[in-house]
Amino acid sequence: MNMMHMGAPMNGGPPPPQMLQMHHPLPHHVAVFAHGSSSQNSQAPPLQAASATPPVPSSMNRSQSRASCPQSTREMSSHRSTTSRRCGVCRGCQCKPCGQCTYCQDSPQFGGPGVKKQSCIERRCLRVLENRLQRDAPTFKARVGCNACEDCRMQDCQICLVCLDKRFFENRHIPGAMCAKKRCNNAQSIECVPSLMSQNPADFVQRAPKRSYELINPVISQQQQQQQSQMHFDVKRVQYMTGPPPQMMQQMQMQAPPQQQIPQPQTPQQQVQQHQQRPNSNSSHSQGPSPPRNGVSQQQQQQTPPQQQNGVAHQIKTDVNVENLEQHQQQQQQQQQQLQQQQQRMIFQPAPYPDLSVHARLMVQAPPQVITAPAPIPLPQGQMTHMPQHGLDIPYLIPTSFVQAVQGQADPFYPSKFELDFEHNGDPFVPPSYAQDMKGQVVLQQL
DNA sequence: CTCTCCGGTCAT
DNA sequence: ATGACCGGAGAG
Ligand SMILES: [Zn+2]
Ligand SMILES: [Zn+2]
């Protein structure tokens, strides 16, 4: 029951607030939307459109409170230091509400009842995610699978805490853990010893904003990417700026991220109008969510006319999701080539871990397909497009490498949608769609 | 006041 | 462990 559908500030009409004013210098590889701050990056992606269309109205990131001030000031100053706020710069913060995820559906913004009161899955902020990981990881019951059973062979869910940690934080918070969704009988629980960070919450707070996502993603040539088209492997290499704990030396993570979906060129406003009437627009959560506490069901909310989603069919992008590195591309490519075969194989042959009893060891002794980082690389930025670097230069805005994005996708969290939207409606900030068929493909679980 | 949405809590 | 709720913080 809604009928409220008040014109959300974002859709309404308030002139697009010019992007978040970054107080810190933006790395050249980071495109800026705002006023002609056209970063003169060499790869000069077609950002005109972007600048014309701010990612999200400032009103959208209300709770973010001055995203421009990366200083921990506001975040911490808040008496309720326990409440993490939006960073305002990560992909999530930049994204518009998809309008189709369960939370958007719930939001009054889209005519929902507003009972769930959660942010759009697409808009999940990485900072918040991290805070949560830091909080929960210590008590998280991590397990390592046998890597032999069927479950272990399945691809990671990509939405559980472990997967998210893996994807965004290179398992720093829950090292060695296997996808929480996997139900391996031979799984062994491991003590989660969050590396890298002290157990002192006070520390997090301070570090959170500064948390650099100094992680490096290997670069995979487009060709390679295409060759791996059957599966997505977001191979990442860990690289720590600060002294990494022994167990976290370096690791290579292979993930089989869900297939990318093609963005659905439409703005929230449009979405509101269309207000899908999808049969299974349960979207986002792949795992059967528990039943709603009360009668408010998703369906009930969908009382809007069965508008069509428009002609844009949801396609599935099969390119490998890999984010490109700027400089180490070459060497990486070489490396990748060598590993290419291996990787393809891993797709169906989850590497048998040498020893799973100790996660520490697990981390050190990377599985066969593990690619060890060539050498400490100076955090290239721009590849972790979805990683906010609170307080630091954040290559999370619009990576200059739009071009790359268009060709080979990087991460489900960095929807290829951007490029497409450019072409379709010039709005690169429209979040990926949540077609039921893509259910659980590109999401972040509830935070 | 309006609005977004974090985080705690409870049900599953 | 995870999702549904919902109180309420905090920004506009
Ligand atoms: Zn959404
Ligand atoms: Zn954010």
Side-chain angles (χ1 to χ4, degrees):
Chain A
M1 315 339 246
N2 46 56
M3 71 202 89
M4 29 219 305
H5 184 287
M6 64 298 275
M10 53 173 284
N11 303 326
Q18 40 276 114
M19 203 38 253
L20 313 140
Q21 330 80 319
M22 307 304 284
H23 284 181
H24 53 283
L26 285 171
H28 1 292
H29 59 278
V30 175
V32 181
F33 329 88
H35 18 246
S37 47
S38 59
S39 51
Q40 75 276 7
N41 67 68
S42 53
Q43 310 184 346
L47 289 172
Q48 321 76 332
S51 49
T53 313
V56 332
S58 58
S59 58
M60 191 102 265
N61 290 326
R62 288 176 184 290
S63 60
Q64 164 218 330
S65 68
R66 284 166 299 175
S68 53
C69 179
Q71 287 306 313
S72 53
T73 50
R74 92 185 128 282
E75 281 87 30
M76 307 182 51
S77 63
S78 76
H79 340 55
R80 192 171 74 173
S81 59
T82 50
T83 299
S84 43
R85 310 274 220 24
R86 279 183 174 287
C87 68
V89 294
C90 69
R91 193 192 79 82
C93 289
Q94 298 293 317
C95 229
K96 285 179 179 177
C98 70
Q100 294 177 37
C101 71
T102 177
Y103 302 121
C104 279
Q105 294 278 291
D106 167 71
S107 174
Q109 227 179 133
F110 295 95
V115 291
K116 294 186 173 65
K117 296 199 279 191
Q118 298 298 310
S119 72
C120 167
I121 292 172
E122 279 297 318
R123 280 177 54 69
R124 280 331 207 339
C125 173
L126 282 171
R127 172 188 285 176
V128 177
L129 203 210
E130 183 176 39
N131 286 338
R132 180 188 163 195
L133 277 167
Q134 295 178 324
R135 276 201 321 275
D136 305 345
T139 58
F140 188 83
K141 291 177 174 54
R143 298 174 309 140
V144 287
C146 65
N147 257 294
C149 68
E150 217 175 289
D151 245 55
C152 287
R153 291 176 195 283
M154 296 195 303
Q155 61 180 48
D156 292 348
C157 74
Q158 303 297 315
I159 63 174
C160 70
L161 211 56
V162 174
C163 288
L164 290 176
D165 182 38
K166 180 184 291 182
R167 183 197 295 288
F168 296 116
F169 306 103
E170 303 301 332
N171 272 349
R172 268 179 292 177
H173 307 86
I174 315 177
M178 97 175 142
C179 169
K181 299 283 186 180
K182 292 184 178 177
R183 188 54 209 141
C184 170
N185 293 315
N186 307 311
Q188 298 179 48
S189 43
I190 55 179
E191 324 81 68
C192 180
V193 183
S195 42
L196 279 201
M197 29 169 220
S198 76
Q199 302 294 318
N200 179 358
D203 258 25
F204 312 156
V205 198
Q206 293 187 337
R207 297 172 57 174
K210 301 213 61 173
R211 169 73 65 215
S212 55
Y213 303 88
E214 56 275 17
L215 306 172
I216 297 170
N217 286 327
V219 174
I220 296 180
S221 70
Q222 290 171 36
Q223 312 168 5
Q224 296 176 324
Q225 290 176 27
Q226 293 173 5
Q227 292 175 12
Q228 300 175 41
S229 61
Q230 2 166 0
M231 279 287 215
H232 298 276
F233 270 92
D234 186 0
V235 191
K236 299 177 180 177
R237 185 183 54 217
V238 186
Q239 192 73 53
Y240 296 91
M241 269 178 149
T242 57
Q247 50 190 239
M248 298 298 281
M249 292 321 293
Q250 31 181 228
Q251 62 176 317
M252 181 59 167
Q253 297 180 354
M254 47 176 276
Q255 306 177 322
Q259 301 168 312
Q260 195 70 36
Q261 58 194 50
I262 287 216
Q264 184 180 314
Q266 67 175 185
T267 66
Q269 300 102 79
Q270 298 174 312
Q271 295 177 342
V272 175
Q273 296 171 29
Q274 298 185 14
H275 216 80
Q276 72 300 113
Q277 180 79 38
R278 319 184 165 213
N280 305 317
S281 64
N282 193 348
S283 65
S284 55
H285 303 302
S286 55
Q287 314 307 325
S290 43
R293 277 186 195 170
N294 60 37
V296 182
S297 75
Q298 201 100 309
Q299 325 241 290
Q300 292 179 308
Q301 300 172 32
Q302 303 178 1
Q303 43 196 212
T304 35
Q307 293 271 331
Q308 249 316 320
Q309 276 293 330
N310 74 35
V312 182
H314 298 292
Q315 300 172 36
I316 295 178
K317 192 167 185 174
T318 53
D319 306 67
V320 172
N321 293 312
V322 186
E323 298 176 339
N324 283 318
L325 197 45
E326 309 168 12
Q327 313 180 313
H328 302 279
Q329 199 156 5
Q330 302 178 339
Q331 25 177 301
Q332 299 252 341
Q333 285 187 355
Q334 287 188 320
Q335 207 176 40
Q336 288 299 332
Q337 289 187 343
Q338 292 175 21
L339 292 161
Q340 190 175 317
Q341 294 174 31
Q342 267 189 338
Q343 290 184 12
Q344 296 206 329
R345 208 177 321 180
M346 345 189 283
I347 292 175
F348 298 108
Q349 295 182 21
Y353 282 25
D355 183 297
L356 304 175
S357 54
V358 184
H359 82 264
R361 181 171 182 177
L362 217 170
M363 300 315 277
V364 180
Q365 293 188 293
Q369 56 273 191
V370 170
I371 302 172
T372 47
I377 306 175
L379 301 194
Q381 302 177 331
Q383 67 277 15
M384 291 306 269
T385 57
H386 50 285
M387 302 298 273
Q389 295 194 343
H390 323 292
L392 300 178
D393 289 344
I394 300 180
Y396 187 59
L397 298 186
I398 297 298
T400 53
S401 353
F402 259 114
V403 182
Q404 306 177 339
V406 179
Q407 306 168 342
Q409 224 338 287
D411 186 304
F413 281 78
Y414 182 60
S416 57
K417 138 154 306 215
F418 285 0
E419 324 86 70
L420 297 171
D421 283 337
F422 261 161
E423 301 177 348
H424 296 174
N425 61 11
D427 183 354
F429 305 106
V430 178
S433 62
Y434 281 84
Q436 56 283 75
D437 46 297
M438 297 308 290
K439 203 178 304 180
Q441 295 288 312
V442 184
V443 308
L444 273 175
Q445 67 177 143
Q446 173 177 19
L447 295 178

